[in-house]
Amino acid sequence: GKAKSLLMGHALTPMFLELPFPPSAKQYWRYYKGRVLKSRVAKSYIKAVGLSWMTMKKEGFPKDSRLDMEIQVFPKDRRARDLDNLLKITLDSLEAAKVFENDKQVDAIRIVRREQHPEGKMLVLIKPIEKEK
């Protein structure tokens, strides 16, 4: 609607993303000759995150912005999953997709497990934190 169109494209307005459910940490990272690398699965997931971001806006949050993030996780099945591992992968993929410059910009994070969803998904709300005057 009208309110949503006013928010589009402005770097300091909240941004809402619907993302596919992330791969597991074991699928995301590869260990090769003592180095930690992103797998093909990770690169594919980062591309999907980037496409979701591109549908919203072209530029990421400026590197001097401080961010508050809420993530709602809708798993596709009943398997036990550590929310902290999902969080690491989500932050890494959002940074790699240039949503923000560095995940160190995130000052507050809330992650909530919700009901199951057939394909699994995540809803992510990123809000800039107003600088105190």
Side-chain angles (χ1 to χ4, degrees), residues 11-125:
L12 294 177
T13 55
M15 294 307 301
F16 178 78
L17 293 163
E18 183 170 332
L19 302 177
F21 198 82
S24 71
K26 287 179 185 156
Q27 292 172 309
Y28 196 86
W29 303 109
R30 287 285 172 252
Y31 300 91
Y32 178 74
K33 295 185 179 179
R35 294 173 54 206
V36 181
L37 306 169
K38 289 178 187 162
S39 68
R40 274 194 208 102
V41 169
K43 290 174 184 168
S44 173
Y45 184 72
I46 289 165
K47 193 172 186 177
V49 170
L51 287 172
S52 178
W53 180 243
M54 292 288 286
T55 63
M56 294 297 297
K57 58 186 287 177
K58 296 287 188 254
E59 295 177 22
F61 288 95
K63 64 182 171 204
D64 65 340
S65 54
R66 308 309 306 166
L67 303 172
D68 178 321
M69 186 179 297
E70 180 174 323
I71 303 168
Q72 295 183 44
V73 178
F74 296 81
K76 57 184 160 207
D77 54 40
R78 295 184 188 277
R79 274 184 295 168
R81 289 182 175 82
D82 291 347
L83 289 179
D84 62 328
N85 285 335
L86 288 176
L87 184 59
K88 290 172 193 163
I89 289 167
T90 302
L91 288 172
D92 183 80
S93 60
L94 288 168
E95 181 179 318
K98 308 274 189 258
V99 173
F100 42 74
E101 194 86 13
N102 191 304
D103 59 16
K104 292 181 177 107
Q105 290 175 252
V106 181
D107 289 338
I109 302 173
R110 182 167 179 258
I111 185 166
V112 181
R113 190 185 330 261
R114 299 288 188 196
E115 67 275 5
Q116 282 178 234
H117 183 274
E119 296 94 50
K121 67 177 181 176
M122 291 195 318
L123 301 178
V124 180
L125 176 63

